[in-house]
Amino acid sequence: MVELLLVLPENRALPLQPDATDRKLLRELQRDSHRSVQVLGHTVGLSPSACHRRIKALEDAGFVQGYRAELDAGRLGFAMQFFIEVGLTSQSEAALDAFEAAVQDIPEVLECHLMAGQSDYILRVICRDHEDFEHLHRRLSARLPGVARIHSNMSIRRVKARSGLPI
């Protein structure tokens, strides 16, 4: 079997699929990317310099797309979360593109997924309270092009949250 390699800057090569050590390193980065390269390397069985090289290679190859802090929405005043199903009047490429462009400008929309099934899109949104949700609902109806119907589901509480991938 021929293994395809991605050639990176400085003539380094990385397999297109991470090996067992890379996967272990990716799991640890997902769990807590704030740790030093020395601590991460020790955890996965690499020297700090080898760990740093692998992290850099994984980043360069696009396996790591960024690092961010996970904020507590409730402590910041966002007490409500909704999942909103959206049906469009048309499923033409132009209609989908227009909707997707417009939804980018609404900061309360945390996620937008194009769906197969009954709804065209599902949005995950956050709001401070019922009044905030009412204003958001009106903005969604008025601002988003081609909306035929909106069906909202309020999340009572999060039962499971996973921010990482099961690698």
Side-chain angles (χ1 to χ4, degrees), residues 85-88 91 113-122 149:
E85 299 174 39
V86 178
L88 300 181
Q91 288 73 36
H113 297 265
L114 176 63
M115 303 299 293
Q118 187 174 359
S119 298
D120 294 310
Y121 291 93
I122 291 184
R149 68 172 179 78

Side-chain angles (χ1 to χ4, degrees), residues 147-160:
V147 173
R149 68 172 179 78
I150 294 178
H151 178 83
S152 302
N153 298 288
M154 185 181 78
S155 172
I156 297 171
R157 71 180 163 92
R158 181 169 59 183
V159 175
K160 179 181 178 181

Side-chain angles (χ1 to χ4, degrees), residues 55-69:
I55 291 171
K56 179 73 172 122
L58 289 165
E59 291 169 350
D60 291 346
F63 290 104
V64 178
Q65 295 182 348
Y67 300 94
R68 62 190 59 84

Side-chain angles (χ1 to χ4, degrees), residues 6-163:
L6 177 63
V7 178
L8 301 170
E10 303 166 11
N11 294 322
R12 290 180 292 138
L14 178 74
L16 290 178
Q17 291 301 314
D19 65 15
T21 302
D22 292 329
R23 282 185 175 74
K24 188 185 287 186
L25 186 53
L26 289 169
R27 278 192 300 274
E28 291 300 319
L29 284 169
Q30 283 186 136
R31 194 169 65 77
D32 181 4
S33 65
H34 197 268
R35 293 175 287 174
S36 70
V37 174
Q38 184 172 353
V39 171
L40 284 168
H42 177 74
T43 304
V44 301
L46 294 171
S47 70
S49 59
C51 183
H52 182 266
R53 281 192 303 273
R54 281 198 184 234
I55 291 171
K56 179 73 172 122
L58 289 165
E59 291 169 350
D60 291 346
F63 290 104
V64 178
Q65 295 182 348
Y67 300 94
R68 62 190 59 84
E70 187 174 335
L71 305 180
D72 186 318
R75 290 189 66 129
L76 291 166
F78 296 100
M80 303 181 80
Q81 178 171 248
F82 291 86
F83 294 88
I84 301 174
E85 299 174 39
V86 178
L88 300 181
T89 56
S90 167
Q91 288 73 36
S92 70
E93 191 170 340
L96 298 176
D97 288 345
F99 179 87
E100 290 173 14
V103 81
Q104 300 297 325
D105 295 330
I106 303 173
E108 295 89 350
V109 176
L110 301 179
E111 295 179 29
C112 176
H113 297 265
L114 176 63
M115 303 299 293
Q118 187 174 359
S119 298
D120 294 310
Y121 291 93
I122 291 184
L123 310 177
R124 182 170 74 95
V125 304
I126 57 168
C127 300
R128 295 185 185 281
D129 52 32
H130 287 87
E131 186 176 305
D132 195 26
F133 177 69
E134 180 184 352
H135 289 107
L136 174 64
H137 193 276
R138 288 175 183 258
R139 282 197 338 246
L140 292 176
S141 299
R143 239 194 238 178
L144 296 177
V147 173
R149 68 172 179 78
I150 294 178
H151 178 83
S152 302
N153 298 288
M154 185 181 78
S155 172
I156 297 171
R157 71 180 163 92
R158 181 169 59 183
V159 175
K160 179 181 178 181
R162 182 170 179 99
S163 61

